[in-house]
Amino acid sequence: MDMMNVKKWFPFVKALDYGHPCKLFCFHHAGGSAAIFKNWKTWERNLAVFPIELPGKSTRIKEQYMTNYHDVIPQIAEAIHQVTSQTRIYFYGHSMGAILAFKTACLLEEKYKKKVNLLIVAGRHAPQDDFPDDYQTTMDDSELIQELKRVGGTPNELLENEEVLQYILPIVKNDYRLNESFDYQDELFHGPILAHCGTNDPDALACNVKNWQVVTTNTFHLKEFSGSHFFPYENKQDYYKELEQSCQENTCHMSY
């Protein structure tokens, strides 16, 4: 993968960030894009934030979307491998992004012998637990709209605008197709995992999220935050500061 294609995966990253010794790679939720992490770029202090953009999303809207983990994970892993020489690597994944982050971290370990120093997963049950989404992509668009209302995070005025819906629903549905392609292959991650959950998340309460401890051979910690499924963005800069602190603590107490 040449550098021009590598940089497509990281559309909001500045040139100087590629040389930063500590990088936080961020994987978005279903229906999101790399832009959800743009505020984090303005708040970064001791890390370089690398929001990941999937083909077919936002800045890459003209590209073919990939609806299968087996296709997209190797490309993400290769792009990250290309920009992480002599780098401490941190992963953050929210909801669908938690699985993308987990799968990518495992592949980096297996194929590139590269360590992810801390995997932070938020708002998603553990990979080995089978909790199907209420919405499946075989259902009507009306069911998808109800699902978006249920989990929150999308303003009602957008969900009631037919023109907007014609644009966003196919994009969101592609993310759900990608999520449905996930199959757990008994992977184990060998670095530490930090799991976050919202106190009012209907799909990923602490009792569901705690099972991430089963998929690491290293340390595991769980922390609850006030909020819904989208608690990371509801807590804004306070949440990002918490992430930076967790990564700094990991640097000071290396266990991997």
Side-chain angles (χ1 to χ4, degrees), residues 130-149:
D130 185 17
F131 295 129
D133 291 318
D134 287 354
Y135 168 76
Q136 302 293 314
T137 54
T138 54
M139 297 178 179
D140 293 338
D141 284 352
S142 60
E143 297 288 342
L144 177 54
I145 294 170
Q146 290 305 310
E147 171 69 1
L148 294 176
K149 290 180 178 179

Side-chain angles (χ1 to χ4, degrees), residues 62-230:
K62 294 182 179 180
E63 298 180 46
Q64 181 67 40
Y65 189 91
M66 297 180 183
T67 57
N68 193 298
Y69 278 102
H70 296 291
D71 297 327
V72 72
I73 295 295
Q75 293 195 37
I76 298 174
E78 183 181 354
I80 292 173
H81 169 65
Q82 294 269 18
V83 299
T84 51
S85 176
Q86 305 299 315
T87 303
R88 288 191 66 79
I89 306 169
Y90 306 100
F91 274 14
Y92 173 83
H94 175 229
S95 196
M96 177 189 79
I99 290 299
L100 282 167
F102 172 72
K103 280 278 197 180
T104 305
C106 290
L107 185 58
L108 279 175
E109 287 184 335
E110 177 188 352
K111 182 175 181 180
Y112 298 103
K113 311 305 178 189
K114 187 163 285 188
K115 299 175 181 179
V116 174
N117 298 96
L118 178 64
L119 170 61
I120 305 171
V121 293
R124 214 287 187 177
H125 58 271
Q128 75 278 13
D129 293 337
D130 185 17
F131 295 129
D133 291 318
D134 287 354
Y135 168 76
Q136 302 293 314
T137 54
T138 54
M139 297 178 179
D140 293 338
D141 284 352
S142 60
E143 297 288 342
L144 177 54
I145 294 170
Q146 290 305 310
E147 171 69 1
L148 294 176
K149 290 180 178 179
R150 184 185 72 85
V151 298
T154 306
N156 283 332
E157 56 267 27
L158 296 185
L159 296 176
E160 294 168 358
N161 185 312
E162 284 296 327
E163 186 175 343
V164 172
L165 286 176
Q166 287 179 14
Y167 174 75
I168 67 171
L169 288 184
I171 295 172
V172 175
K173 186 174 286 189
N174 276 336
D175 281 350
Y176 274 87
R177 288 194 182 99
L178 177 62
N179 202 42
E180 288 171 0
S181 77
F182 172 70
D183 57 333
Y184 180 57
Q185 298 291 324
D186 297 322
E187 296 101 333
L188 283 176
F189 174 60
H190 298 291
I193 292 180
L194 175 59
H196 291 169
C197 60
T199 54
N200 298 312
D201 187 340
D203 294 329
L205 295 171
C207 58
N208 309 122
V209 175
K210 69 178 183 180
N211 286 343
W212 279 93
Q213 64 189 309
V214 176
V215 297
T216 178
T217 61
N218 207 297
T219 58
F220 172 81
H221 296 284
L222 170 64
K223 184 167 182 176
E224 290 184 281
F225 292 81
S226 176
S228 70
H229 185 63
F230 292 97

